[in-house]
Amino acid sequence: KSHPHPMNFWTPATAAFVSSAANAAASGKMGDVNSQAMMNMAESMGKHFLETGWAKAVPGLERSLIALRVYFAVDNAYVKRKMLKVLCPFMFREWRRVENQTVQTQDGNVNYVTSYELPQNDENAPDLYLPSMSLLTYVLLCALCYGTAGKFDPEVLPAVTTKCLGTQLLEVIAIRIGLYLMEVSIPLLDLASYTGYKYLGLSINMLSGLTLGHFFGYGHRAYYFTFLWTAAATSYFILKVMANNIPVRTSAAGPKRQVMVLGFAASQFATCWFVSQTKFLE
């Protein structure tokens, strides 16, 4: 039985990155080493991880990593554009994903296969990078809120994280049930991505509450004033996304498409309110 070789992270890509970082540090231009270079290094290390066989050592891990890799194919331009689209969706009119059509020939038969562009090439593509980073930011801001009120406890971090992920899981399950009744299929990771963008707005809410609460004592008011915008924006974002993902014709025996799309959008407003942590805002 063969065993995977010891993993070596010192690849040509990492060597080039370290070399450029050293040169930038020596010249006093650390700004040249931007986050895009770090993304390229992480991508190279991920590919090396898959190719060396370590991913195959854990059953199902390789397939999961390959499926997840598509959702983390982002760059700085995509992240900035996506953040603007989530926070100000009313400014945008184009919501259709970019499609690629390839021709496959097998046994003399010509088949046209349709696929979607990666997030870095399509601002309407779902990703998991922004939701995961937004969730992490929100949890840390909640911990800061507890800390400034003198109520911090190490259990705050897992408690807030569990509440957020548990609520999102129930939300995804409810959406999946609704889609099943309409006989519509949307990938599970796509739903996890769409419902995870709410954490960006929640982070903005908490940052607003902490800042204005510290300087002016209007933490609660600032939080809920910002909440009205971010929750409405997230709901409108989901409304447009679902309207473009759910076909116009669905099961005649299932619920009406318009009702379900509106229900999915309204659920964002409710879940954003439920996972808000405003107890100790000044």
Side-chain angles (χ1 to χ4, degrees), residues 103-113:
V103 180
Q104 293 183 353
T105 303
Q106 185 176 8
D107 298 332
N109 297 323
V110 178
N111 298 320
Y112 294 92
V113 179

Side-chain angles (χ1 to χ4, degrees), residues 77-90:
Y78 168 84
V79 173
K80 293 176 183 178
R81 188 72 174 172
K82 195 71 170 195
M83 289 176 65
L84 181 61
K85 196 158 194 172
V86 172
L87 295 175
C88 302
F90 318 102

Side-chain angles (χ1 to χ4, degrees), residues 8-152:
N8 179 21
F9 285 105
W10 191 256
T11 63
T14 56
F17 174 77
V18 173
S19 177
S20 63
N23 293 333
S27 61
K29 298 180 179 179
M30 283 303 293
D32 294 339
V33 186
N34 56 22
S35 56
Q36 185 63 45
M38 296 186 67
M39 288 182 182
N40 293 337
M41 183 186 70
E43 181 181 1
S44 175
M45 293 171 64
K47 291 180 180 178
H48 186 65
F49 180 76
L50 291 172
E51 292 170 357
T52 51
W54 276 88
K56 298 182 178 67
V58 180
L61 178 60
E62 182 181 21
R63 181 179 299 177
S64 300
L65 290 177
I66 292 175
L68 285 172
R69 186 168 57 184
V70 176
Y71 292 89
F72 287 89
V74 302
D75 55 16
N76 291 336
Y78 168 84
V79 173
K80 293 176 183 178
R81 188 72 174 172
K82 195 71 170 195
M83 289 176 65
L84 181 61
K85 196 158 194 172
V86 172
L87 295 175
C88 302
F90 318 102
M91 299 168 50
F92 296 85
R93 295 184 178 275
E94 183 57 55
W95 294 88
R96 289 176 298 179
R97 295 183 61 179
V98 178
E99 296 182 350
N100 286 327
Q101 195 172 61
T102 57
V103 180
Q104 293 183 353
T105 303
Q106 185 176 8
D107 298 332
N109 297 323
V110 178
N111 298 320
Y112 294 92
V113 179
T114 302
S115 60
Y116 293 107
E117 279 283 3
L118 295 175
Q120 60 189 6
N121 300 321
D122 179 16
E123 67 180 28
N124 292 321
D127 74 285
L128 289 173
Y129 174 81
L130 186 56
S132 58
M133 292 298 102
S134 299
L135 173 60
L136 177 61
T137 303
Y138 178 63
V139 171
L140 293 178
L141 286 174
C142 289
L144 179 60
C145 177
Y146 277 71
T148 54
K151 303 294 184 179
F152 179 76

